[in-house]
Structures are given as structure tokens and as C-alpha cells.
Amino acid sequence: MPKIVHTVMEWRALRSTHQAAGRIIGFVPTMGALHRGHASLIQAARQECDVVLASVFVNPTQFDEATDFDTYPRTLEADLALMEKAGVDTVFAPSVGEMYPNGRHYTVEEDTLSRELCGAHRPGHFTGVLTVVMKLLQIAGADRAYFGEKDWQQLQLIRGMAEAFFLETEIVGWPTVREADGLALSSRNVRLTPDERTLAPRFHAILQSAPDATTATEQLTTLGFRVDYVEDRPGRRLGAVRLGSTRLIDNVAR
Ligand code: AMP
């Protein structure tokens, strides 16, 4: 089993040993409820680095809906088994108090991209994400940190933040892992009812096949999705939809 540490001090002590030995550290931040998407990030870090650190922290400041935070799946035992198999050496699983010693007084805010796309529908979400990722990157002190392209907007914002603040960790983006029917793996997929699960792969299919974003929105709405947005950006089409109480996001190259 990987070693679990709960405090910044414990990880820093371990990190010093690794750095003194000249080891390359790879870092994979997660909110737990791990699936094959997370495993692919861990395996990438395992292949490219000497030491793999993964974090499990359900970050309260990035949830814009309290019920989403309360019902977010928490599966630490299963997560540890997956992390062991995928090759994690150390798991950082801090408490909220450990991560926010001075509450929410200090935040990282981006003023353009963070307000578009998902940001327009989830007020404050990306400030929560960037703040916690900044904290985690500072704590990890890793050579490389791995993030999924499934959260395309998040990845661009993290890359921008790393550049703006001269962070020394290399930000690595990794392709989306999907079910055989095309649905992007997500910790929230467990909330889909059987009927919603049957419909869900059409989201990815329509993002890929529709000639333009307006047509994609019309086709999705006709099928029963509530569309937050579908937008075409240079090289990418991005979308977010709701099926019942579950929000799905996805993006495809174009
Ligand atoms: P989360 O636990 O949902 O915050 O995700 C942790 C990391 O896993 C983020 O960098 C996500 O982009 C990435 N991730 C989530 N789902 C997938 C997926 N289906 N394929 C690849 N990476 C993913």
C-alpha cells in the first residue's frame, strides 16, 4: 500500500529525502473517487518520474452547490487499492484545516477565461480550483504535475497560472479516458440513473459529429439534455450538459 501522509510537514520531510537523492517527483492531484482516468495520470507519472505523489482532497472551495460537495463520492479504501496498482508511492490526504490554515482570505483569481464556459455557470468555481492547485503545487514541490484534458478549461487555467507565477513544476496534460461507448469517465457518473447512463454517450457523439455549436445544442436539447453551453474555440469544441441532477462536461478536438 502507498504511504499515507496527512500533513504538509510529513510530506516535506519525505520530499527532502527524495530531493537529496536526486529523484524526479511526479504529482497527481485528485478529489478521490478514482477511476481509470485517474489511473492513466498515475501511470504516466510512474513512467516518467522516480517518485509518485498523489493527493486526495475534496476541495470545498470549488463547489458552487453545497449538495454536490455533500454527496461527492468518497471511497478512500478503493482509492488506495487503485493507487497501489497504478504505482503511487505516497498519498497526501490533508484535512480542510491543513489546506486552509487562514480560511479563504487568500485566493488565486483569474479574470478572463475563468469567467467563460464552465465559469459562467459555476460562479467562483475556478477561483476555488486555482487556489487549491496553487497550494497543492507549492506543497508538492514536484518536478511534474499531471492533469486530465477532460477538464480542458481547468488545464488551460492551471497552465496560465503556472506561467504567471513562475511555478517551477512542469504542467503535463493527459488525454481523456472514456468508456467503450464514448462517455468520458467521471467520478460523478455513478449518480446517473440507468436511463441517463444510456443517453449520456450521445453527448460526446454529438460534440464530435455536429457541424456547429448551435446544431449540437439543438440536437442535445431534443434528446433531453439541458445544455449549459456548447462552444467552439480554436482547435476545440467544449460543452457542459445536465442530465437529471448530474452535470457532465466534455471536449473534443476540431
Ligand atoms: P478530479 O478527481 O475529478 O478532480 O480529477 C483529478 C484529475 O483527473 C484531473 O486532472 C482531471 O482532469 C483528471 N481526470 C478526470 N477524469 C478523467 C478522465 N476521464 N480521463 C483523464 N483524466 C481525467
Side-chain angles (χ1 to χ4, degrees), residues 168-184:
E168 294 192 79
T169 305
E170 181 191 343
I171 306 299
V172 182
W174 211 253
T176 304
V177 176
R178 300 179 179 280
E179 302 284 7
D181 59 17
L183 176 66

PDB file of all heavy atoms in Angstrom, residues 168-184:
ATOM      1  N   GLU A 168       7.715  26.344 -10.789  1.00  0.00           N
ATOM      2  CA  GLU A 168       8.797  25.541 -11.368  1.00  0.00           C
ATOM      3  C   GLU A 168       8.371  24.120 -11.728  1.00  0.00           C
ATOM      4  O   GLU A 168       9.162  23.345 -12.241  1.00  0.00           O
ATOM      5  CB  GLU A 168       9.993  25.546 -10.425  1.00  0.00           C
ATOM      6  CG  GLU A 168      10.582  26.953 -10.335  1.00  0.00           C
ATOM      7  CD  GLU A 168      11.922  26.975  -9.647  1.00  0.00           C
ATOM      8  OE1 GLU A 168      12.911  26.631 -10.306  1.00  0.00           O
ATOM      9  OE2 GLU A 168      11.946  27.323  -8.445  1.00  0.00           O
ATOM     10  N   THR A 169       7.131  23.793 -11.419  1.00  0.00           N
ATOM     11  CA  THR A 169       6.615  22.466 -11.767  1.00  0.00           C
ATOM     12  C   THR A 169       6.136  22.476 -13.220  1.00  0.00           C
ATOM     13  O   THR A 169       5.392  23.385 -13.613  1.00  0.00           O
ATOM     14  CB  THR A 169       5.438  22.098 -10.835  1.00  0.00           C
ATOM     15  OG1 THR A 169       5.874  22.196  -9.490  1.00  0.00           O
ATOM     16  CG2 THR A 169       4.925  20.700 -11.125  1.00  0.00           C
ATOM     17  N   GLU A 170       6.537  21.468 -13.976  1.00  0.00           N
ATOM     18  CA  GLU A 170       6.050  21.359 -15.360  1.00  0.00           C
ATOM     19  C   GLU A 170       4.617  20.812 -15.338  1.00  0.00           C
ATOM     20  O   GLU A 170       4.357  19.794 -14.685  1.00  0.00           O
ATOM     21  CB  GLU A 170       6.967  20.413 -16.147  1.00  0.00           C
ATOM     22  CG  GLU A 170       6.557  20.247 -17.600  1.00  0.00           C
ATOM     23  CD  GLU A 170       7.304  19.112 -18.292  1.00  0.00           C
ATOM     24  OE1 GLU A 170       8.350  18.662 -17.776  1.00  0.00           O
ATOM     25  OE2 GLU A 170       6.824  18.664 -19.339  1.00  0.00           O
ATOM     26  N   ILE A 171       3.712  21.489 -16.032  1.00  0.00           N
ATOM     27  CA  ILE A 171       2.304  21.044 -16.076  1.00  0.00           C
ATOM     28  C   ILE A 171       2.128  20.139 -17.298  1.00  0.00           C
ATOM     29  O   ILE A 171       2.347  20.575 -18.430  1.00  0.00           O
ATOM     30  CB  ILE A 171       1.339  22.245 -16.167  1.00  0.00           C
ATOM     31  CG1 ILE A 171       1.606  23.252 -15.034  1.00  0.00           C
ATOM     32  CG2 ILE A 171      -0.117  21.785 -16.189  1.00  0.00           C
ATOM     33  CD1 ILE A 171       1.419  22.719 -13.631  1.00  0.00           C
ATOM     34  N   VAL A 172       1.736  18.886 -17.030  1.00  0.00           N
ATOM     35  CA  VAL A 172       1.592  17.907 -18.110  1.00  0.00           C
ATOM     36  C   VAL A 172       0.102  17.600 -18.303  1.00  0.00           C
ATOM     37  O   VAL A 172      -0.591  17.249 -17.343  1.00  0.00           O
ATOM     38  CB  VAL A 172       2.335  16.592 -17.762  1.00  0.00           C
ATOM     39  CG1 VAL A 172       2.220  15.590 -18.908  1.00  0.00           C
ATOM     40  CG2 VAL A 172       3.794  16.863 -17.416  1.00  0.00           C
ATOM     41  N   GLY A 173      -0.405  17.747 -19.529  1.00  0.00           N
ATOM     42  CA  GLY A 173      -1.797  17.405 -19.837  1.00  0.00           C
ATOM     43  C   GLY A 173      -1.883  15.990 -20.380  1.00  0.00           C
ATOM     44  O   GLY A 173      -0.986  15.568 -21.126  1.00  0.00           O
ATOM     45  N   TRP A 174      -2.944  15.247 -20.008  1.00  0.00           N
ATOM     46  CA  TRP A 174      -3.051  13.847 -20.404  1.00  0.00           C
ATOM     47  C   TRP A 174      -4.422  13.572 -21.029  1.00  0.00           C
ATOM     48  O   TRP A 174      -5.411  14.105 -20.546  1.00  0.00           O
ATOM     49  CB  TRP A 174      -2.831  12.956 -19.161  1.00  0.00           C
ATOM     50  CG  TRP A 174      -2.209  11.658 -19.511  1.00  0.00           C
ATOM     51  CD1 TRP A 174      -2.824  10.438 -19.522  1.00  0.00           C
ATOM     52  CD2 TRP A 174      -0.852  11.450 -19.936  1.00  0.00           C
ATOM     53  NE1 TRP A 174      -1.931   9.484 -19.936  1.00  0.00           N
ATOM     54  CE2 TRP A 174      -0.716  10.067 -20.193  1.00  0.00           C
ATOM     55  CE3 TRP A 174       0.242  12.284 -20.134  1.00  0.00           C
ATOM     56  CZ2 TRP A 174       0.473   9.514 -20.636  1.00  0.00           C
ATOM     57  CZ3 TRP A 174       1.432  11.722 -20.576  1.00  0.00           C
ATOM     58  CH2 TRP A 174       1.540  10.356 -20.819  1.00  0.00           C
ATOM     59  N   PRO A 175      -4.485  12.742 -22.107  1.00  0.00           N
ATOM     60  CA  PRO A 175      -5.748  12.550 -22.839  1.00  0.00           C
ATOM     61  C   PRO A 175      -6.882  11.955 -21.985  1.00  0.00           C
ATOM     62  O   PRO A 175      -6.631  11.210 -21.036  1.00  0.00           O
ATOM     63  CB  PRO A 175      -5.376  11.570 -23.957  1.00  0.00           C
ATOM     64  CG  PRO A 175      -3.889  11.640 -24.072  1.00  0.00           C
ATOM     65  CD  PRO A 175      -3.367  12.015 -22.724  1.00  0.00           C
ATOM     66  N   THR A 176      -8.086  12.259 -22.390  1.00  0.00           N
ATOM     67  CA  THR A 176      -9.290  11.782 -21.686  1.00  0.00           C
ATOM     68  C   THR A 176      -9.470  10.278 -21.863  1.00  0.00           C
ATOM     69  O   THR A 176      -9.390   9.768 -22.978  1.00  0.00           O
ATOM     70  CB  THR A 176     -10.535  12.506 -22.256  1.00  0.00           C
ATOM     71  OG1 THR A 176     -10.321  13.907 -22.127  1.00  0.00           O
ATOM     72  CG2 THR A 176     -11.803  12.094 -21.532  1.00  0.00           C
ATOM     73  N   VAL A 177      -9.750   9.598 -20.756  1.00  0.00           N
ATOM     74  CA  VAL A 177     -10.077   8.174 -20.809  1.00  0.00           C
ATOM     75  C   VAL A 177     -11.604   8.049 -20.842  1.00  0.00           C
ATOM     76  O   VAL A 177     -12.303   8.711 -20.071  1.00  0.00           O
ATOM     77  CB  VAL A 177      -9.493   7.426 -19.595  1.00  0.00           C
ATOM     78  CG1 VAL A 177      -9.916   5.963 -19.609  1.00  0.00           C
ATOM     79  CG2 VAL A 177      -7.972   7.550 -19.579  1.00  0.00           C
ATOM     80  N   ARG A 178     -12.087   7.195 -21.759  1.00  0.00           N
ATOM     81  CA  ARG A 178     -13.533   7.075 -21.978  1.00  0.00           C
ATOM     82  C   ARG A 178     -14.016   5.647 -21.787  1.00  0.00           C
ATOM     83  O   ARG A 178     -13.244   4.699 -21.894  1.00  0.00           O
ATOM     84  CB  ARG A 178     -13.875   7.499 -23.426  1.00  0.00           C
ATOM     85  CG  ARG A 178     -13.487   8.922 -23.718  1.00  0.00           C
ATOM     86  CD  ARG A 178     -13.798   9.351 -25.152  1.00  0.00           C
ATOM     87  NE  ARG A 178     -13.397  10.741 -25.297  1.00  0.00           N
ATOM     88  CZ  ARG A 178     -14.126  11.771 -24.883  1.00  0.00           C
ATOM     89  NH1 ARG A 178     -15.310  11.555 -24.347  1.00  0.00           N
ATOM     90  NH2 ARG A 178     -13.682  13.005 -25.003  1.00  0.00           N
ATOM     91  N   GLU A 179     -15.312   5.506 -21.541  1.00  0.00           N
ATOM     92  CA  GLU A 179     -15.958   4.193 -21.606  1.00  0.00           C
ATOM     93  C   GLU A 179     -15.967   3.753 -23.064  1.00  0.00           C
ATOM     94  O   GLU A 179     -15.797   4.585 -23.972  1.00  0.00           O
ATOM     95  CB  GLU A 179     -17.406   4.272 -21.094  1.00  0.00           C
ATOM     96  CG  GLU A 179     -17.546   4.776 -19.668  1.00  0.00           C
ATOM     97  CD  GLU A 179     -17.185   3.737 -18.606  1.00  0.00           C
ATOM     98  OE1 GLU A 179     -16.687   2.644 -18.974  1.00  0.00           O
ATOM     99  OE2 GLU A 179     -17.383   4.040 -17.421  1.00  0.00           O
ATOM    100  N   ALA A 180     -16.235   2.457 -23.307  1.00  0.00           N
ATOM    101  CA  ALA A 180     -16.248   1.949 -24.684  1.00  0.00           C
ATOM    102  C   ALA A 180     -17.262   2.702 -25.542  1.00  0.00           C
ATOM    103  O   ALA A 180     -17.059   2.870 -26.747  1.00  0.00           O
ATOM    104  CB  ALA A 180     -16.570   0.452 -24.674  1.00  0.00           C
ATOM    105  N   ASP A 181     -18.346   3.195 -24.932  1.00  0.00           N
ATOM    106  CA  ASP A 181     -19.370   3.908 -25.709  1.00  0.00           C
ATOM    107  C   ASP A 181     -19.070   5.405 -25.867  1.00  0.00           C
ATOM    108  O   ASP A 181     -19.905   6.156 -26.388  1.00  0.00           O
ATOM    109  CB  ASP A 181     -20.760   3.695 -25.096  1.00  0.00           C
ATOM    110  CG  ASP A 181     -20.840   4.167 -23.644  1.00  0.00           C
ATOM    111  OD1 ASP A 181     -19.956   4.927 -23.203  1.00  0.00           O
ATOM    112  OD2 ASP A 181     -21.797   3.775 -22.955  1.00  0.00           O
ATOM    113  N   GLY A 182     -17.921   5.858 -25.398  1.00  0.00           N
ATOM    114  CA  GLY A 182     -17.517   7.250 -25.629  1.00  0.00           C
ATOM    115  C   GLY A 182     -17.690   8.175 -24.432  1.00  0.00           C
ATOM    116  O   GLY A 182     -17.108   9.263 -24.393  1.00  0.00           O
ATOM    117  N   LEU A 183     -18.473   7.767 -23.439  1.00  0.00           N
ATOM    118  CA  LEU A 183     -18.684   8.636 -22.266  1.00  0.00           C
ATOM    119  C   LEU A 183     -17.360   8.838 -21.531  1.00  0.00           C
ATOM    120  O   LEU A 183     -16.667   7.871 -21.205  1.00  0.00           O
ATOM    121  CB  LEU A 183     -19.719   7.997 -21.323  1.00  0.00           C
ATOM    122  CG  LEU A 183     -19.969   8.753 -20.012  1.00  0.00           C
ATOM    123  CD1 LEU A 183     -20.628  10.113 -20.268  1.00  0.00           C
ATOM    124  CD2 LEU A 183     -20.845   7.920 -19.069  1.00  0.00           C
ATOM    125  N   ALA A 184     -17.004  10.102 -21.275  1.00  0.00           N
ATOM    126  CA  ALA A 184     -15.771  10.384 -20.525  1.00  0.00           C
ATOM    127  C   ALA A 184     -15.935   9.898 -19.086  1.00  0.00           C
ATOM    128  O   ALA A 184     -16.973  10.160 -18.452  1.00  0.00           O
ATOM    129  CB  ALA A 184     -15.491  11.881 -20.542  1.00  0.00           C
TER     130      ALA A 184
END
